[in-house]
Amino acid sequence: MTLDANYLRGTMAAVMSILQHSTCPQNFVFHFLTARHEPKIFTSISSTFPYLNFNVYRFDSNRVRGKISKSIRQALDQPLNYARIYLADILPSDVNRVIYLDSDIIVVDDIAKLWKVDLGEKVVAAPEYCHANFTTYFTDSFWSDDVLSKTFKGRLPCYFNTGVMVLDVKKWKKEGYTQKVEEWMVVQKLKRIYHLGSLPPFLLIFAGNIRAVDHRWNQHGLGGDNFEGKCRSLHPGPISLLHWSGKGKPWLRLDSRKPCPIDHLWAPYDLYRSSRTWLED
């Protein structure tokens, strides 16, 4: 997970939910990536979770400066949002597999079940959504280009959300996927082939070529769209992970006294909630 002062409240809630629903929480090692040395954040985690096995790594923002294109939402343009591309370079060499998680999630199941997914020969495992209109994730410039539009030839591309992924770090590094993502970021700079941040390069490389896992592991879109963040309800079916992707974040909506009904599922894991708020409720 990434660590950022603006999202720390979400990260802490996510960690709390993972530990609370785990059969063997002592087996977990958390790897946190941060853009700058912030002792307060480190202290905050240590004091809140004194027995947590975790490491903090500094992500050098210069690695993506000049490569990031302006997207439809400013939060998506932050360098730390691209840190997931560089996990294979940052994590220790003895780490072969990781679960990457965004900070706006809550886990309500034993995440060891997701960890045990059989990747086979794949590099990425995630829930995929083949009913989504895949063409909307790329611009007309992409689809009208004779060369670029053939990118997905020979595979059935399906949307997947990069906020919840199981990654084979060793294979990622061996097959040079960091460089492949960066190459698409260069194309984006030249031709503007998509509107979102770090997601589309993943789709360009992996869509139609991932290990699909049950949709229960990413009930995403709970933060609404990227413009207004309007309230959304849960999709039908079992749920193991709730994901407030989109503009609306539960802690901000709760603080503003204008929460969505779904935000009350996040509230029990909020470690920053003041006693005064509890009393008022």
Side-chain angles (χ1 to χ4, degrees):
M1 302 179 75
T2 57
L3 269 183
D4 175 81
N6 294 325
Y7 282 81
L8 181 61
R9 189 171 168 185
T11 302
M12 300 283 258
V15 171
M16 181 68 179
S17 71
I18 292 168
L19 297 176
Q20 195 171 105
H21 293 281
S22 169
T23 307
C24 302
Q26 68 275 13
N27 291 346
F28 293 132
V29 180
F30 286 83
H31 301 278
F32 296 115
L33 287 77
T34 181
R36 59 187 65 85
H37 181 61
E38 297 185 75
K40 283 185 179 179
I41 291 181
F42 185 91
T43 304
S44 185
I45 295 172
S46 298
S47 59
T48 307
F49 305 107
Y51 300 106
L52 192 70
N53 187 358
F54 74 96
N55 300 298
V56 178
Y57 311 87
R58 185 176 176 274
F59 170 64
D60 185 1
S61 299
N62 290 321
R63 296 199 69 166
V64 289
R65 293 209 189 278
K67 297 186 180 83
I68 298 175
S69 301
K70 188 177 175 60
S71 67
I72 58 175
R73 186 157 60 90
Q74 190 178 1
L76 301 175
D77 301 339
Q78 301 307 308
L80 201 55
N81 195 42
Y82 289 79
R84 70 196 82 191
I85 298 166
Y86 300 93
L87 289 174
D89 299 328
I90 298 170
L91 297 176
S93 58
D94 61 343
V95 176
N96 297 321
R97 173 187 287 215
V98 293
I99 299 174
Y100 178 85
L101 297 171
D102 276 348
S103 297
D104 50 3
I105 62 101
I106 288 296
V107 178
V108 292
D109 199 347
D110 190 343
I111 204 167
K113 297 175 186 175
L114 180 60
W115 170 261
K116 291 174 183 174
V117 63
D118 180 11
L119 275 165
E121 295 301 311
K122 306 299 184 184
V123 180
V124 176
E128 64 177 1
Y129 305 87
C130 295
H131 64 276
N133 184 356
F134 194 78
T135 59
T136 60
Y137 293 98
F138 302 95
T139 63
D140 291 340
S141 298
F142 174 84
W143 295 113
S144 62
D145 187 293
D146 289 340
V147 177
L148 295 176
S149 61
K150 292 186 175 72
T151 301
F152 300 107
K153 191 175 181 180
R155 51 183 166 135
L156 179 64
C158 296
Y159 166 78
F160 67 95
N161 182 280
T162 55
V164 180
M165 299 184 289
V166 182
L167 298 170
D168 186 323
V169 182
K170 203 168 186 179
K171 196 171 290 183
W172 177 288
K173 190 165 190 174
K174 183 182 177 183
E175 298 178 16
Y177 282 107
T178 295
Q179 290 73 31
K180 292 175 183 178
V181 172
E182 287 181 330
E183 286 167 8
W184 278 114
M185 291 170 71
V186 171
V187 175
Q188 164 72 349
K189 275 282 186 184
L190 296 171
K191 298 197 173 186
R192 188 72 180 170
I193 58 174
Y194 52 80
H195 297 302
L196 291 171
S198 60
L199 165 67
F202 274 85
L203 297 180
L204 287 161
I205 295 166
F206 294 110
N209 193 29
I210 69 169
R211 174 68 67 187
V213 301
D214 197 294
H215 287 181
R216 69 187 301 147
W217 285 105
N218 195 352
Q219 176 88 224
H220 67 286
L222 303 182
D225 59 27
N226 281 301
F227 297 101
E228 298 180 46
K230 290 182 178 178
C231 294
R232 287 185 179 174
S233 55
L234 291 170
H235 306 299
I239 300 167
S240 294
L241 185 148
L242 299 158
H243 187 187
W244 277 261
S245 58
K247 186 178 180 182
K249 301 306 171 191
W251 55 92
L252 296 178
R253 296 196 295 214
L254 286 162
D255 284 354
S256 70
R257 305 286 177 175
K258 296 177 182 177
C260 294
I262 196 71
D263 297 338
H264 294 290
L265 295 178
W266 182 90
Y269 304 96
D270 182 14
L271 301 176
Y272 285 64
R273 203 175 191 208
S274 69
S275 57
R276 183 184 168 198
T277 308
W278 281 109
L279 290 169
E280 286 177 356
D281 286 354

